[in-house]
């Protein structure tokens, strides 16, 4: 099973990724997490990534991200079933993935989570992450047991820099400019399924499960 999850920032990709990966036993590959880890660990790539100001939503160059994906492919990370979250984000990345990474016999599916801008902006203002383990909360519907404290590791919850409203609007703009072509591309390949992400978390997940189940003949 090879699932690509795409959609605007703040639409709930992280939450749904977690549910999908747990349910189907997939490995969760998030390019955003990988880039942030490189920065935190001050690796050589991390120092390069730092130049692109990813906390302000600017994309890293296609070559850099495609090279990372290529390296992960060489290491065998794409041999198992997986869910890719945050990649591809541009047409160049989508074509690279389909032509250079994907095994021609593999059946893959693109789940496109979408919602109105009002919904997304409301959701993002409520999003908090743990400063320790990175666990994600939403003060409205996935709130921690103790206010401001992570259930998993007890560290404090913070707002991601790139979730601040001024920065976030910029991220949405970049997304619109770059990712529309990705959606059109996968639509033309008949592998893209759009899901309304503004409903209850479990309804959205139920819808995704139905689409995946039908696509992979799991019934
Ligand atoms: P995310 O956690 O998926 O929102 O990613 C955080 C940031 O990492 C994004 O705003 C981009 O700056 C960068 N990033 C993640 N994935 C990609 C990608 N596929 N292409 C370019 N930049 C990316």
């Amino acid at each position: 099973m090879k699932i690509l999850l795409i959609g605007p920032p703040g639409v709930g990709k992280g939450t749904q990724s977690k549910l999908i990966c747990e349910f189907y036993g997939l490995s969760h590959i998030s390019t955003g997490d990988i880039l942030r880890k490189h920065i935190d660990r001050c690796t050589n790539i991390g120092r390069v990534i730092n130049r692109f100001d990813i906390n302000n939503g600017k994309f890293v160059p296609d070559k850099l991200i495609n090279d990372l994906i290529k390296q992960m492919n060489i290491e065998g990370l794409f041999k198992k079933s997986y869910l890719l979250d945050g990649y591809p984000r541009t047409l160049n990345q989508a074509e690279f993935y389909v032509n250079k990474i994907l095994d021609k016999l593999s059946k893959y599916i693109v789940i496109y989570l979408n919602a109105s801008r009002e919904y997304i902006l409301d959701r993002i203002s409520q999003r908090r992450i743990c400063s320790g383990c990175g666990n994600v909360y939403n003060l409205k519907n996935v709130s921690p047991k103790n206010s401001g404290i992570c259930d998993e590791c007890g560290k404090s919850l913070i707002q991601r820099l790139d979730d601040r409203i001024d920065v976030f609007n910029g991220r949405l703009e970049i997304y619109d400019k770059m990712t529309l072509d990705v959606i059109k591309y996968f639509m033309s390949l008949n592998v893209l399924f759009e899901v309304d992400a503004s409903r209850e978390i479990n309804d959205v997940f139920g819808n995704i499960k139905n689409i995946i189940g039908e696509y992979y003949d799991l019934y």
Side-chain angles (χ1 to χ4, degrees):
M1 206 179 262
K2 299 181 190 317
I3 300 175
L4 310 193
L5 194 64
I6 61 174
V11 80
K13 294 191 295 294
T15 308
Q16 293 300 330
S17 294
K18 215 169 163 190
L19 292 170
I20 298 167
C21 288
E22 271 167 21
F23 189 80
Y24 294 108
L26 310 178
S27 50
H28 178 206
I29 303 173
S30 152
T31 46
D33 286 350
I34 292 167
L35 297 178
R36 279 186 288 273
K37 262 186 207 143
H38 274 289
I39 292 177
D40 290 348
R41 290 177 189 158
C42 295
T43 63
N44 287 338
I45 299 174
R47 277 189 280 276
V48 177
I49 296 166
N50 252 332
R51 296 211 294 263
F52 299 101
D53 205 7
I54 71 163
N55 285 332
N56 279 319
K58 307 250 167 59
F59 284 6
V60 300
D62 287 333
K63 166 119 179 54
L64 189 153
I65 200 91
N66 285 342
D67 281 351
L68 276 175
I69 292 285
K70 189 169 151 193
Q71 185 54 35
M72 288 160 69
N73 192 33
I74 291 168
E75 287 163 12
L77 279 159
F78 296 118
K79 285 217 165 69
K80 296 179 283 183
S81 293
Y82 59 81
L83 179 143
L84 245 182
D85 166 8
Y87 180 93
R89 260 173 153 105
T90 65
L91 183 59
N92 174 293
Q93 293 176 19
E95 289 177 338
F96 181 82
Y97 174 77
V98 169
N99 298 320
K100 300 272 175 1
I101 300 295
L102 205 61
D103 176 342
K104 292 286 167 279
L105 296 174
S106 321
K107 190 169 176 179
Y108 72 105
I109 180 171
V110 182
I111 302 286
Y112 169 34
L113 283 184
N114 201 10
S116 71
R117 292 300 134 107
E118 292 74 30
Y119 171 85
I120 291 172
L121 287 171
D122 180 51
R123 188 172 183 278
I124 217 65
S125 66
Q126 310 287 331
R127 178 154 80 176
R128 297 292 181 274
I129 62 160
C130 171
S131 54
C133 66
N135 219 14
V136 182
Y137 295 86
N138 185 289
L139 301 183
K140 240 184 204 167
N141 49 24
V142 195
S143 50
K145 289 189 193 93
N146 298 310
S147 171
I149 304 292
C150 178
D151 293 345
E152 306 284 328
C153 72
K155 294 262 165 62
S156 56
L157 303 187
I158 53 167
Q159 189 171 37
R160 246 168 69 173
L161 273 179
D162 53 359
D163 280 351
R164 286 189 334 241
I165 199 71
D166 48 332
V167 180
F168 190 75
N169 277 324
R171 288 174 69 198
L172 273 175
E173 232 171 76
I174 295 172
Y175 165 84
D176 282 339
K177 207 165 92 197
M178 309 301 280
T179 312
L180 209 63
D181 284 343
V182 176
I183 291 158
K184 284 190 199 149
Y185 174 69
F186 285 124
M187 267 171 108
S188 75
L189 297 176
N190 285 324
V191 292
L192 183 131
F193 296 80
E194 183 167 348
V195 172
D196 175 5
S198 60
R199 301 195 332 231
E200 279 293 301
I201 290 175
N202 280 322
D203 288 346
V204 177
F205 181 46
N207 200 345
I208 293 173
K209 275 193 296 188
N210 287 340
I211 292 170
I212 293 174
E214 215 169 291
Y215 192 74
Y216 280 99
D217 270 334
L218 300 179
Y219 301 119

